[in-house]
């Protein structure tokens, strides 16, 4: 069985963290969605702009809640939508603490359905179309919270704050409050990140797993904090079909990788072919140092 493999290492400095002190001025206008304006027959919180997809029937319903807050749900279970606000007074290189809290009703998967996004701007134009996602949600009962600190890129003079809901599946989200304030910059966290290039030949799914685990062992010997494997790692260089490869997660393949992650005290990212009922997914798996 031939193979071509290499392991690259990148030293990354991540400026992230939640620790901050002091109470800087609130940058968000109407952070509790209290003031309301009437627009085209709808009640919308003052300072916020509703957004949705081009196909209106796939848009979430957005409205100010009578008891306070911003209510988002969807007639279509796979609807998407939300609100945005342009934030002024941003300075490049400075850190900003972002927090948001919402209440859930019948949302089956909060991590799939909720996003808080910050897109940095300069002269009103986006510096990057995708923006940066705020850490979260952390769910406690029917409450979900976002809490993060982001550093504005050099040259930024504004930001677009976006509260997003997708695929409510008959449920609703009541956004209670959101905050964005300047905060002391976090200290650097040095992280060793490795990537693996491996293309087995004339192999089988099980032999592939062995080869990838060998690479996790190599990453562990290098003292890496996280190693990123390839896509659909049990398929490359084999004749196996999607039907042959598909299995639950957790399952045999993910458990094998989990054991290697735990053995080497390393985070592992991998792509596996997952079966959920009658549906097959190309699924990204993240395993921590304990193989969870």
């Amino acid at each position: 069985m031939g193979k071509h493999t290499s392991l690259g290492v990148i030293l990354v400095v991540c400026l992230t963290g939640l620790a901050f002190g002091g109470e800087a001025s609130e940058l968000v206008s109407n952070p509790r969605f209290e003031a309301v304006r009437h627009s085209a027959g709808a009640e919308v919180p003052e300072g916020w702009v509703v957004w949705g997809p081009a196909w209106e029937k796939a848009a979430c319903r957005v409205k100010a809640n009578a008891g306070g807050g911003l209510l988002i749900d969807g007639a279509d279970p796979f609807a998407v939508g939300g609100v945005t606000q342009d934030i002024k007074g941003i300075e490049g290189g400075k850190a900003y603490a972002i927090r948001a809290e919402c209440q859930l009703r019948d949302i089956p998967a909060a991590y799939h359905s909720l996003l808080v996004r910050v897109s940095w701007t300069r002269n009103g134009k986006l510096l990057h179309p995708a923006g940066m996602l705020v850490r979260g949600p952390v769910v406690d009962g029917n409450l979900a919270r976002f809490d993060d600190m982001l550093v504005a890129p050099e040259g930024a003079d504004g930001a677009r704050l976006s509260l997003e809901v997708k695929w409510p599946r008959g449920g609703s989200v009541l956004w209670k409050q959101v905050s964005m304030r300047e905060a002391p910059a976090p200290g650097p966290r040095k992280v060793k990140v490795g990537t693996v290039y491996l293309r087995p030949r004339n192999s089988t799914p099980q032999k592939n797993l062995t080869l990838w685990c060998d690479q996790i062992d190599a990453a562990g010997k290098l003292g890496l904090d996280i190693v990123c494997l390839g896509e659909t790692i049990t398929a490359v260089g084999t004749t196996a079909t999607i039907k042959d490869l598909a299995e639950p997660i957790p399952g045999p393949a993910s458990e094998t990788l989990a054991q290697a992650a735990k053995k080497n005290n390393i985070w592992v990212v991998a792509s596996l072919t997952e079966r959920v009922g009658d549906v097959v997914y190309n699924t990204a798996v993240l395993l921590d140092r304990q193989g969870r």
Side-chain angles (χ1 to χ4, degrees):
M1 177 177 58
K3 61 182 184 294
H4 182 193
T5 180
S6 63
L7 194 155
V9 182
I10 307 169
L11 183 64
V12 179
V13 178
C14 301
L15 296 180
T16 60
L18 298 182
F20 58 92
E23 281 297 325
S25 298
E26 177 62 68
L27 297 175
V28 177
S29 174
N30 194 14
R32 295 179 180 271
F33 314 101
E34 294 168 341
V36 175
R37 60 183 171 84
H38 296 269
S39 174
E43 292 186 345
V44 180
E46 191 71 40
W48 295 90
V49 176
V50 176
W51 70 268
W55 178 245
E56 292 183 1
K57 291 184 178 180
C60 283
R61 295 176 295 200
V62 180
K63 64 179 180 179
N65 188 55
L70 174 72
L71 184 65
I72 301 179
D73 62 14
D76 187 313
F78 299 103
V80 296
V83 293
T84 66
Q85 182 176 138
D86 287 339
I87 307 295
K88 298 179 180 180
I90 298 296
E91 295 184 41
K94 289 191 174 182
Y96 295 88
I98 300 97
R99 291 172 172 168
E101 181 179 293
C102 58
Q103 185 174 328
L104 311 177
R105 182 184 65 81
D106 299 331
I107 297 292
Y111 200 77
H112 293 168
S113 294
L114 305 179
L115 293 172
V116 176
R117 188 189 310 267
V118 175
S119 302
W120 306 106
T121 62
R122 180 169 58 238
N123 298 326
K125 296 182 179 180
L126 296 178
L127 294 180
H128 191 282
M132 301 174 72
L133 297 182
V134 175
R135 186 186 326 213
V138 175
V139 179
D140 181 10
N142 68 339
L143 291 179
R145 295 182 177 87
F146 293 80
D147 198 340
D148 208 347
M149 187 185 301
L150 303 178
V151 177
E154 293 297 334
D157 59 13
R160 183 162 299 162
L161 180 62
S162 178
L163 309 180
E164 306 176 20
V165 176
K166 59 180 180 177
W167 316 328
R169 296 175 185 261
S172 63
V173 179
L174 177 62
W175 292 95
K176 306 286 284 185
Q177 57 183 333
V178 61
S179 174
M180 186 171 183
R181 300 172 184 264
E182 185 182 334
R189 298 167 57 210
K190 295 182 179 180
V191 181
K192 281 188 177 180
V193 181
T195 61
V196 179
Y197 176 81
L198 172 62
R199 292 195 64 84
R201 299 185 180 92
N202 303 317
S203 188
T204 67
Q206 190 55 47
K207 289 179 180 177
N208 276 14
L209 278 175
T210 300
L211 291 171
W212 287 105
C213 287
D214 288 344
Q215 294 301 306
I216 297 174
D217 290 343
K221 292 176 182 176
L222 288 171
L224 302 191
D225 295 295
I226 184 168
V227 63
C228 304
L229 309 184
E231 186 174 9
T232 55
I233 60 174
T234 55
V236 180
T238 77
T239 58
T241 66
I242 289 178
K243 184 178 179 180
D244 298 330
L245 296 167
E247 62 180 53
I249 297 176
S254 64
E255 181 57 31
T256 298
L257 296 173
Q259 292 173 5
K262 183 176 182 180
K263 170 186 172 184
N264 290 282
N265 191 36
I266 191 173
W267 290 76
V268 174
V269 179
S271 163
L272 297 172
T273 305
E274 180 185 22
R275 179 183 295 279
V276 181
D278 294 329
V279 183
V280 175
Y281 298 92
N282 178 6
T283 298
V285 178
L286 174 64
L287 300 163
D288 69 11
R289 296 183 192 272
Q290 288 74 46
R292 295 174 298 196

